[in-house]
Amino acid sequence: MGKKIEPSKPKGRSKFYSDWTVAEKKRVYEWLYAYKKKLMADGFLCFDDAYFLASEYLFKYPKIKDILSRKFQFAFVDEMQDMDKKQYEILEELFWNNGTASTIYQRIGDKNQGIFTDKSDMDEVWTDRPVVQKLNGSHRLSLKNAALVQLLALQPITVTGLALDKDGTSIDVLPRLYVYEDATKVIPAFAKTIKKLQENGKIPSTPAHPFKALCWTTVPDTDKTRINDYHPPYSKEVQRPKINYSCMESYLLNYDKSSNGFESIRKSILNGLLRILRIEDITDDEKRPFTKRSFISYLSLRYPTAVVKLQEQLLKWCKGILTKENSNVLSELQAYVPELLKLFGKSITHSKAFINDAAPLDGGAVNPVTEVSNMTNHEGIPIEVATVHSAKGQTHTATLYMESFYEKKAGGGNYESERLAAILKGGSLPANPHKFVQQSMKMAYVGFSRPTHLLGFAVRKDRFDEHLSDIDTETWEIVHV
């Protein structure tokens, strides 16, 4: 699973550096080993630990492979392209085992959408079997958008656009190439296009999916175009409710209001109850803090009557929050807490202030971040600004892909408009494309394959003039911003 750690003394800036002795290294290694064991005993486990332990278990108890294979007659893995090497190897060993496993194992995904945050993950880990069933039709993509997406497929595949409008006709919206000098004007121009297409009946006035503007890189830089150049208020801190708040009342105020139904309120109330358990140092049988799932499971096994009552109360409290009866809900929760703690042989000791304090004006978030909006609205068109990574698997009515600087100049340039110019103009993929070209292709493939109707691509004027001025205007409509 990897090489043994060999401790070495940090070099620093000293000219008289000398490494640790063998005895010192042994002591450091023993300390690291003991510390890691303690962390795991305390319930702290990273993903690599989980994969390592799984592999060790398979090595020591190989019969488990046959047991699991017989238990699961069919195994389907969706989004297979998102598996990293360790995940892939464990799944292969369990359900394929060089073709000897009894499981019918089907892997489903699109290698061209395998984008990661770690550059080391660019290596292909998904190896095809002798027989591959290709799914070429896309009910999301229009004919025009599918033709562009197909050009960007690093693993060549035919992409057939099958998307239809509500009236059963083919979606007929030409992709737009936005040529800009001022990046802040791009998203407003995109909104203007959407509004015009809605007025002409080309885009639904009440779309089933959102409008989004996507960008690859996010770290601001004075000389390099990034997402904040297009939308200065953008922040990587996603605007979603925090898990921890300073008092119980805040949990009743700060549920996810973008989600319909009771579920987001239920989660928030449960998070508040779990916070009380943590404050009172109440843990599960393994001395670990409860999660929502383990909490309900624990109560179900030991106190089935109590868990039924809690579920009924949660339903009532959710309804109360939706009907603006927060004060009644808070009072009932405050009365319920002693009953809950009694199940664990505890009473209110350290959590009194948390239970009874009023929510502060800032909402009560613990270590709150500065509130900034990644939403923008132009001409009545709401558009969310986001990263390409965050949009994986999503469907949009209209998607704007905004070029950005990535890495040093290699593979033909720093930006997608430079690296992918020949491909976007219908040219063939180079025999041995640079790794940055491959990454740019995968990123653009994901971004370009999101919209049902309008696809936009933003390129700065000097790069357009140098690389894309001769692009086919039957494929793209050029919009000078």
Side-chain angles (χ1 to χ4, degrees):
M1 293 296 292
K3 296 180 180 179
K4 181 179 177 180
I5 293 175
E6 295 293 343
S8 61
K9 184 178 179 181
K11 291 185 178 181
R13 298 183 179 180
S14 173
K15 296 180 180 179
F16 307 101
Y17 171 82
S18 62
D19 200 0
W20 285 319
T21 65
V22 173
E24 288 172 329
K25 287 187 176 184
K26 183 173 182 293
R27 284 167 49 205
V28 171
Y29 184 86
E30 289 173 347
W31 182 89
L32 287 171
Y33 182 77
Y35 186 63
K36 183 65 177 179
K37 284 186 68 175
K38 183 180 184 306
L39 284 175
M40 294 180 72
D42 290 343
F44 296 98
L45 195 72
C46 69
F47 287 118
D48 280 343
D49 293 333
Y51 303 144
F52 171 77
L53 292 173
S55 297
E56 282 291 291
Y57 192 91
L58 290 174
F59 177 76
K60 290 182 178 180
Y61 307 103
K63 287 185 178 180
I64 194 67
K65 290 186 284 187
D66 184 57
I67 294 172
L68 288 172
S69 183
R70 290 177 182 275
K71 179 177 176 62
F72 299 102
Q73 185 179 355
F74 299 95
F76 299 93
V77 180
D78 197 12
E79 305 294 354
M80 188 69 192
Q81 76 279 352
D82 293 336
M83 297 292 165
D84 66 22
K85 187 175 181 181
K86 299 182 186 72
Q87 295 168 327
Y88 174 86
E89 289 173 348
I90 290 172
L91 288 169
E92 290 288 295
E93 190 171 355
L94 281 175
F95 299 121
W96 177 247
N97 202 16
N98 294 318
T100 64
S102 57
T103 301
I104 296 173
Y105 179 40
Q106 294 291 320
R107 306 171 303 172
I108 307 161
D110 184 350
K111 290 183 180 181
N112 292 302
Q113 294 194 47
I115 61 173
F116 303 91
T117 54
D118 187 345
K119 288 178 285 186
S120 66
D121 288 331
M122 272 301 294
D123 295 335
E124 198 68 65
V125 297
W126 181 2
T127 305
D128 287 341
R129 308 272 191 247
V131 178
V132 177
Q133 177 65 51
K134 293 189 177 181
L135 306 175
N136 302 107
S138 169
H139 290 277
R140 173 193 294 152
L141 297 175
S142 67
L143 287 169
K144 290 181 170 63
N145 290 346
L148 287 170
V149 170
Q150 181 175 302
L151 293 173
L152 295 164
L154 188 59
Q155 302 285 334
I157 186 172
T158 301
V159 182
T160 305
L162 303 175
L164 300 174
D165 263 324
K166 288 184 178 180
D167 60 4
T169 60
S170 295
I171 294 172
D172 184 25
V173 178
L174 197 65
R176 265 56 169 187
L177 202 161
Y178 294 90
V179 182
Y180 69 89
E181 292 185 76
D182 181 351
T184 61
K185 295 182 179 179
V186 172
I187 296 176
F190 179 60
K192 187 175 182 179
T193 303
I194 294 171
K195 186 174 183 180
K196 185 176 180 180
L197 288 170
Q198 286 182 327
E199 291 170 349
N200 295 334
K202 296 286 189 178
I203 286 182
S205 57
T206 54
H209 307 288
F211 305 126
K212 292 205 177 186
L214 307 178
C215 195
W216 181 358
T217 53
T218 60
V219 180
D221 191 296
T222 304
D223 302 320
K224 303 174 179 65
T225 302
R226 304 285 174 84
I227 196 168
N228 289 91
D229 294 285
Y230 298 99
H231 183 65
Y234 175 82
S235 171
K236 289 181 70 174
E237 296 290 345
V238 182
Q239 283 186 279
R240 60 181 60 166
K242 315 295 184 295
I243 293 177
N244 289 330
Y245 291 91
S246 60
C247 66
M248 190 69 208
E249 186 181 15
S250 292
Y251 284 84
L252 308 183
L253 299 171
N254 295 292
Y255 62 91
D256 183 2
K257 297 176 180 63
S258 67
S259 176
N260 295 323
F262 287 6
E263 185 58 24
S264 61
I265 304 174
R266 179 180 179 274
K267 287 180 178 179
S268 192
I269 293 173
L270 282 173
N271 282 332
L273 293 175
L274 294 183
R275 183 82 193 283
I276 293 171
L277 297 186
R278 292 196 298 273
I279 294 172
E280 298 292 354
D281 196 27
I282 296 172
T283 57
D284 65 14
D285 292 335
E286 303 297 326
K287 304 300 180 185
R288 295 175 301 193
F290 281 106
T291 64
K292 289 186 286 292
R293 178 176 293 180
S294 67
F295 172 59
I296 296 298
S297 177
Y298 182 95
L299 293 182
S300 298
L301 289 171
R302 290 165 178 77
Y303 309 104
T305 304
V307 80
V308 170
K309 180 179 179 181
L310 173 59
Q311 298 285 27
E312 291 174 348
Q313 287 294 101
L314 283 168
L315 186 63
K316 179 184 177 183
W317 294 331
C318 290
K319 184 178 179 180
I321 296 299
L322 287 177
T323 55
K324 309 300 181 184
E325 299 173 23
N326 290 40
S327 59
N328 290 338
V329 173
L330 180 60
S331 296
E332 291 185 10
L333 270 166
Q334 291 168 337
Y336 170 75
V337 171
E339 181 181 337
L340 173 63
L341 296 183
K342 188 176 179 180
L343 297 176
F344 298 92
K346 294 284 188 86
S347 59
I348 297 174
T349 304
H350 305 292
S351 58
K352 184 176 181 181
F354 173 84
I355 296 167
N356 296 319
D357 283 357
L361 295 177
D362 66 0
V366 175
N367 299 321
V369 296
T370 302
E371 184 174 344
V372 293
S373 176
N374 295 338
M375 291 292 300
T376 183
N377 191 304
H378 299 278
E379 303 196 28
I381 305 298
I383 298 170
E384 181 182 351
V385 184
T387 63
V388 179
H389 285 90
S390 71
K392 283 192 67 177
Q394 295 180 354
T395 298
H396 309 157
T397 298
T399 305
L400 172 64
Y401 189 107
M402 306 176 293
E403 66 168 358
S404 60
F405 180 96
Y406 179 73
E407 292 292 349
K408 60 186 178 181
K409 190 169 185 177
N414 298 317
Y415 294 82
E416 295 96 328
S417 60
E418 298 169 322
R419 291 175 177 150
L420 305 179
I423 297 169
L424 291 172
K425 289 187 289 187
S428 58
L429 180 67
N432 295 300
H434 191 279
K435 65 178 182 179
F436 293 159
V437 173
Q438 295 182 49
Q439 286 179 290
S440 295
M441 287 181 69
K442 286 194 171 188
M443 205 64 59
Y445 183 97
V446 169
F448 281 30
S449 60
R450 298 306 98 202
T452 57
H453 290 70
L454 173 63
L455 168 64
F457 182 38
V459 181
R460 202 174 73 182
K461 186 178 185 302
D462 58 345
R463 287 188 284 274
F464 171 80
D465 291 342
E466 183 176 355
H467 300 283
L468 293 170
S469 59
D470 58 343
I471 201 166
D472 185 4
T473 53
E474 295 294 318
T475 303
W476 292 91
E477 179 176 325
I478 312 301
V479 179
H480 291 276
V481 177

